[in-house]
Amino acid sequence: MIQRVVWRVGSTDALEFWQERLAAAGVASERSDGRLLFHDPEQLELELAVVETGDAPLVADHPEIPAELALQGFDSVRAYAYDPDQSRRFLEETMLFTSVGETAYESRGEERGSHYVYDRTERAGRGGAGTVHHVAWASPIDEHEAWRERVVAAGARSTAVIDRFYFRSIYFREPSGVLFEIATIGPGFTVDEPLEHLGEKLSLPPDFEHLRQRVEPVLTPLPDPRRDSVSPTPRH
């Protein structure tokens, strides 16, 4: 069961910025050496960490967040497991992760890497609020079917390749019980609308378009930072 998600930041100044921002929103946090730990409203553990890496940062452009203080992409997830060793062979030989500690692994592609870490527990996992449903890994489209064949050959029970319109995915559980997804990089969200207009309206895959009248009224509207950050035109 995944119990913590970790994001990268570039400096201790970023940690101070986020600690102050969280406090202003009424969220308590705990600082340790190069890290800031807090919980979301459903008590999922979230952590910001100063990470030394050669990976290019993935920084979102937001009018309230200076770029040098912004989150720089995912770094790792932590999972509870009774016996992490039962997953070692699958993670190293099938998923091609690299062991970087007794219960920690690195997954690295051509451009970026991340970490998958276990915390030992004797308590049984239970899904629901405050937990993560699955961990998703990226794959080029032309390698996707080969990944499915690979995990099936290792004894994992995988779904068929599921067409999500914007991407394709397979799902299976690693030996410690955590649900993994391997999703394709592409075709992407620009298959049905241009990049400059992404997020302005609810877009649905064709197979779900007939549900729009049922789905759209019950969704919580999200602010559009691009629209909301536009300054009014001065009058003379």
Side-chain angles (χ1 to χ4, degrees):
M1 182 183 77
I2 298 298
Q3 46 90 10
R4 184 183 301 184
V5 181
V6 184
W7 283 270
R8 296 172 181 171
V9 294
S11 66
T12 55
D13 288 343
L15 293 181
E16 293 174 3
F17 170 84
W18 285 103
Q19 187 171 29
E20 293 176 359
R21 184 174 176 86
L22 289 167
V27 179
S29 60
E30 180 182 343
R31 280 282 295 273
S32 59
D33 186 22
R35 294 179 176 269
L36 180 66
L37 179 66
F38 56 101
H39 296 79
D40 76 0
E42 295 182 330
Q43 296 307 299
L44 175 67
E45 290 187 1
L46 304 173
E47 188 173 52
L48 310 184
V50 180
V51 176
E52 294 185 7
T53 176
D55 296 347
L58 298 177
V59 177
D61 183 15
H62 192 283
E64 297 180 8
I65 311 298
E68 67 274 14
L69 303 176
L71 306 187
Q72 297 186 351
F74 287 115
D75 178 72
S76 57
V77 294
R78 301 187 76 97
Y80 282 133
Y82 173 72
D83 180 15
D85 285 340
Q86 67 182 332
S87 296
R88 182 175 298 277
R89 182 174 179 180
F90 181 83
L91 296 181
E92 292 180 350
E93 297 183 8
T94 302
M95 298 299 294
L96 303 180
F97 292 0
T98 300
S99 176
V100 292
E102 183 181 356
T103 60
Y105 299 86
E106 182 181 38
S107 170
R108 175 154 294 279
E110 294 181 359
E111 297 181 5
R112 295 185 63 78
S114 60
H115 293 88
Y116 184 65
V117 185
Y118 289 113
D119 294 311
R120 296 180 185 271
T121 182
E122 295 185 359
R123 299 179 61 184
R126 183 174 63 181
T131 66
V132 172
H133 182 262
H134 66 274
V135 182
W137 311 95
S139 165
I141 290 180
D142 58 359
E143 297 178 9
H144 197 234
E145 184 59 45
W147 272 110
R148 183 182 184 278
E149 294 174 359
R150 187 180 185 89
V151 299
V152 169
R157 296 179 60 184
S158 173
T159 66
V161 174
I162 302 172
D163 190 346
R164 304 293 194 189
F165 184 63
Y166 302 110
F167 59 94
R168 299 167 196 159
S169 60
I170 58 173
Y171 298 86
F172 54 93
R173 293 192 183 276
E174 55 98 341
S176 289
V178 177
L179 184 62
F180 277 8
E181 175 189 14
I182 297 182
T184 60
I185 304 172
F189 292 120
T190 57
V191 295
D192 59 356
E193 58 181 330
L195 178 64
E196 59 270 19
H197 293 293
L198 287 179
E200 294 179 357
K201 62 181 180 64
L202 174 64
S203 294
L204 295 172
D207 289 347
F208 293 88
E209 185 59 45
H210 69 285
L211 299 175
R212 179 177 292 275
Q213 297 304 316
R214 293 170 52 189
V215 172
E216 201 162 27
V218 300
L219 296 178
T220 301
L222 298 176
D224 182 348
R226 291 171 297 187
R227 180 197 62 203
D228 297 343
S229 65
V230 174
S231 300
T233 302
R235 293 184 178 183
H236 300 285

